[in-house]
Amino acid sequence: QLQLVESGGGLVRPGGSLRLSCAASGFTSDYYVIGWFHQAPGKEREGVSCISSSGDTVYYADSVKGRFTISRDNAKNTVYLQMNSLKPEDTASYYCAARRQSSFLTVRVMCTSSQYGMNYWGEGTLVTVSS
């Protein structure tokens, strides 16, 4: 089945930047919506940003709009999350996730719904924003 491996996490000071990468294997990612989710201790996993299979449609959580940018390179089966102007509140484990593109579900729904959301998950990469 589809496997997702995240990389790029680490420790960064407030205002700094990181770029996360999600490499897909096992299946081509061409037909999958792929997104980034984060989970802080004691909190539920939340959708941060997701992108359609073609890259034409993106979703961003309000908390990251203007700071984060999601992109994908289907030739490399890789999705990226460029994170700028990082805040301590961004500290969390970041997970890459995927679900096959569906005409019945929007990217936003896949990125925000627990019932209709992603069904393939990576193991996560930790992002810590601290001074």
Side-chain angles (χ1 to χ4, degrees):
Q1 61 182 21
L2 180 66
Q3 293 181 315
L4 303 168
V5 180
E6 305 94 334
S7 62
L11 175 65
V12 65
R13 301 186 70 175
S17 298
L18 287 173
R19 188 179 75 158
L20 305 184
S21 297
C22 172
S25 62
F27 295 91
T28 178
S29 62
D30 290 9
Y31 305 113
Y32 287 82
V33 173
I34 297 180
W36 290 95
F37 295 71
H38 69 189
Q39 186 171 25
K43 296 185 177 181
E44 295 184 351
R45 192 172 295 177
E46 297 179 326
V48 176
S49 182
C50 297
I51 187 167
S52 64
S53 59
S54 67
D56 291 339
T57 304
V58 299
Y59 164 84
Y60 295 101
D62 288 342
S63 61
V64 306
K65 287 181 179 177
R67 299 190 296 122
F68 292 8
T69 302
I70 191 169
S71 61
R72 67 189 297 163
D73 185 343
N74 284 348
K76 297 181 178 179
N77 283 346
T78 302
V79 173
Y80 305 96
L81 184 68
Q82 179 66 47
M83 305 187 296
N84 298 327
S85 301
L86 283 162
K87 304 175 181 179
E89 302 90 87
D90 297 318
T91 296
S93 292
Y94 283 73
Y95 299 86
C96 181
R99 181 171 184 150
R100 192 174 178 88
Q101 185 81 59
S102 172
S103 61
F104 302 102
L105 300 173
T106 66
V107 171
R108 182 188 64 81
V109 168
M110 291 184 183
C111 212
T112 60
S113 173
S114 61
Q115 182 176 3
Y116 302 109
M118 308 299 187
N119 51 10
Y120 295 94
W121 294 85
E123 294 185 354
T125 185
L126 180 63
V127 172
T128 302
V129 184
S130 177
S131 60

